[in-house]
Amino acid sequence: MVGEIDVSVRKAIVSVAVLGIVAYGGVVGYLTHFDHETAPTLDTHSPTLADPVASAAFAAIREARCDYCHARNVDLPFYFHVPVANQLMQRDLDQGLRHFRIEPVIEAFQTGAVPSEEQLARIEEVVRQNRMPPTLYLLMHWHAHLSQAQRDALLNWVAAERRAHYATPGVAARFAGEPVQPVPESVPVDVAKVALGQRLFFDKQLSGDGTLNCASCHALDHGGVDGRVTALGINGQHGPINVPTVYDAVFNKSQFWNGRAATLADQAAGPVMNPLEMGSHDWTLVADKVKQDPSYVSAFHDAFGSDDIDKDRMTTAIAEYEKTLITPDSRFDRYLKGDEQALNAQEKNGYALFKSVGCSGCHTGVSLGGQAFEVMGLEGDYFAARGGTVTDADKGRYAVTGSRDDMERFKVPNLRNIALTAPYFHDGSVKTLEDAVRLMARYQTPDHTLSDHDVADIVAFLRTLTGTYQGQPLAGTEAP
């Protein structure tokens, strides 16, 4: 009798297991169909269809359904609406949107547009680290597992886009697909506007009491910064945020930590009127002071073909001068241009670590930054660990857009000449490069911690980013 019961129990268990497997298989089969049926598509006119490299990359992204977690307004699988499962998946969706938005990438495939350097770098980062798609997602979406061929297809596409659209003239062929490119030797400028802008950059008449100029905070002999935790403005007032370097700012997609200025000219207009910085109150009054000097009137006529002096012309001229504040010919640039001896073994390993840890996923392009915005504390609560009062300056891009998605999101800083621009971060809270690297690893990357040896190697690489200005090594005091 007992034996018969045991047999019955075993049969029941087997039956339940079989039913479970069948149900699981049925759900996976349904999801496979759903995933394919609702995936992003290319119309017959998409340029991607004529490009085998781009087509293979799009196919991999489509198969993995990266848009489920990295795009809004997507038709999600049925189980997203099931209680409990919904809560778990909503967290993954929130984190996916916080980390990366793939809509512009899909649109680029559809229209033939060029993805940004940051978008390419983020895709390269997660593919090389084999972090996407996540394991739990793959339990229900077997087909979404990326094969080595699919990963190679994505990496080949990233490299091809860089070579075609972002490689700096003079870069060695083997480095043309790298996330970082050499600083160009020059950028096109209007010489008359540059001369005028240089004069205005150093003119203290632009401040409210005649004591400050643009160079007061952006000292060209101090890495383009002031070396303070936060800016020191008119009447000894302290500003709320650390001063970004003016060097290589021309390569930024926007200006200021929160990106509120779309252009260098917009940026130049800000500090002059800021009551905590240069403290002027009216651009007309500033223009009237400048007009008193006949040589200025002549200079404006040479630059703009008119004697009129106003805000737009002044800020345009300053911006034109700032375009010339580029710092090519660092040792790292020479390495990227083919000089194998420009870096030693430690520095080369530091660059390799910089990429493998994930730093280059954000710090990309000519200036190793300035191409996108990122949450400060992507992988941990930076502000809780820092302590102190959370200020309006800590809100980042939220202050510009009002979107919760942009809370504590900041423009990724330029790392060129980083050894000269301490203290670090938007709050100026970090004094050394070593500590900055450790904290970035802890709060911005999934690895969280680095050995002292790895930190030393990455810092050694960062020190090779100090360039030249007007043919001379850039002046400044290196961070301890």
Side-chain angles (χ1 to χ4, degrees), residues 14 17 56 107 116 244 246 323 328 430 471:
V14 170
E107 183 179 356
S116 72
V246 72
K323 289 180 184 178
V430 178

Side-chain angles (χ1 to χ4, degrees), residues 68-79:
Y68 275 155
C69 288
H70 296 284
R72 292 197 185 278
N73 304 316
V74 175
D75 190 8
L76 295 167
F78 73 90
Y79 62 80

Side-chain angles (χ1 to χ4, degrees), residues 14-320:
V14 170
S15 297
V16 170
V18 169
L19 287 173
I21 292 171
V22 170
Y24 175 54
V27 170
V28 169
Y30 167 80
L31 290 174
T32 300
H33 173 77
F34 181 88
D35 291 348
H36 289 152
E37 192 71 19
T38 62
T41 59
L42 301 175
D43 65 35
T44 56
H45 301 293
S46 172
T48 296
L49 294 175
D51 182 346
V53 174
S55 292
F58 176 77
I61 288 174
R62 184 181 189 277
E63 190 68 25
R65 289 308 303 267
C66 304
D67 55 314
Y68 275 155
C69 288
H70 296 284
R72 292 197 185 278
N73 304 316
V74 175
D75 190 8
L76 295 167
F78 73 90
Y79 62 80
F80 184 83
H81 306 288
V82 176
V84 180
N86 170 265
Q87 295 175 341
L88 294 173
M89 290 183 62
Q90 186 63 55
R91 179 184 179 281
D92 289 343
L93 178 58
D94 291 342
Q95 286 298 310
L97 293 171
R98 179 178 168 88
H99 279 70
F100 183 61
R101 298 294 293 271
I102 204 167
E103 296 101 325
V105 177
I106 292 173
E107 183 179 356
F109 279 119
Q110 292 169 333
T111 64
V114 180
S116 72
E117 289 178 281
E118 182 264 348
Q119 289 158 3
L120 295 171
R122 293 303 298 272
I123 291 172
E124 178 184 52
E125 173 194 354
V126 298
V127 171
R128 290 199 183 281
Q129 294 180 345
N130 199 21
R131 289 198 284 119
M132 291 289 146
T135 302
L136 288 178
Y137 174 78
L138 293 174
L139 289 176
M140 301 298 292
H141 304 261
W142 296 352
H143 68 90
H145 174 78
L146 292 177
S147 67
Q148 188 58 52
Q150 289 171 311
R151 293 181 182 281
D152 288 344
L154 286 165
L155 295 176
N156 290 339
W157 166 71
V158 167
E161 290 294 299
R162 286 174 176 156
R163 290 189 184 98
H165 304 290
Y166 296 115
T168 298
V171 67
R174 69 181 185 277
F175 292 132
E178 285 288 293
V180 182
Q181 293 292 305
V183 175
E185 296 295 328
S186 63
V187 297
V189 293
D190 182 306
V191 176
K193 289 185 176 68
V194 168
L196 173 58
Q198 180 174 13
R199 185 174 174 184
L200 290 167
F201 187 87
F202 291 96
D203 193 339
K204 295 182 179 180
Q205 289 186 93
L206 272 63
S207 66
D209 63 357
T211 62
L212 300 175
N213 55 26
C214 301
S216 298
C217 284
H218 297 290
L220 301 190
D221 60 352
H222 202 294
V225 298
D226 60 0
R228 301 177 183 275
V229 173
T230 61
L232 184 66
I234 193 170
N235 299 321
Q237 298 178 97
H238 287 276
I241 205 162
N242 185 256
V243 173
T245 180
V246 72
Y247 281 120
D248 302 302
V250 63
F251 303 118
N252 294 339
K253 283 197 169 183
S254 60
Q255 308 298 329
F256 295 121
W257 282 100
N258 60 15
R260 65 185 181 273
T263 67
L264 282 173
D266 291 340
Q267 185 278 328
V272 176
M273 292 295 120
N274 191 314
L276 295 179
E277 297 185 46
M278 294 173 71
S280 290
H281 303 289
D282 188 320
W283 273 104
T284 301
L285 295 179
V286 173
D288 286 343
K289 286 192 289 185
V290 171
K291 289 176 184 177
Q292 301 307 308
D293 186 335
S295 65
Y296 254 134
V297 175
S298 177
F300 272 90
H301 187 276
D302 291 342
F304 295 99
S306 169
D307 294 345
D308 291 341
I309 299 177
D310 57 18
K311 169 192 170 182
D312 288 343
R313 287 182 172 85
M314 283 188 279
T315 57
T316 296
I318 293 171
E320 198 72 6

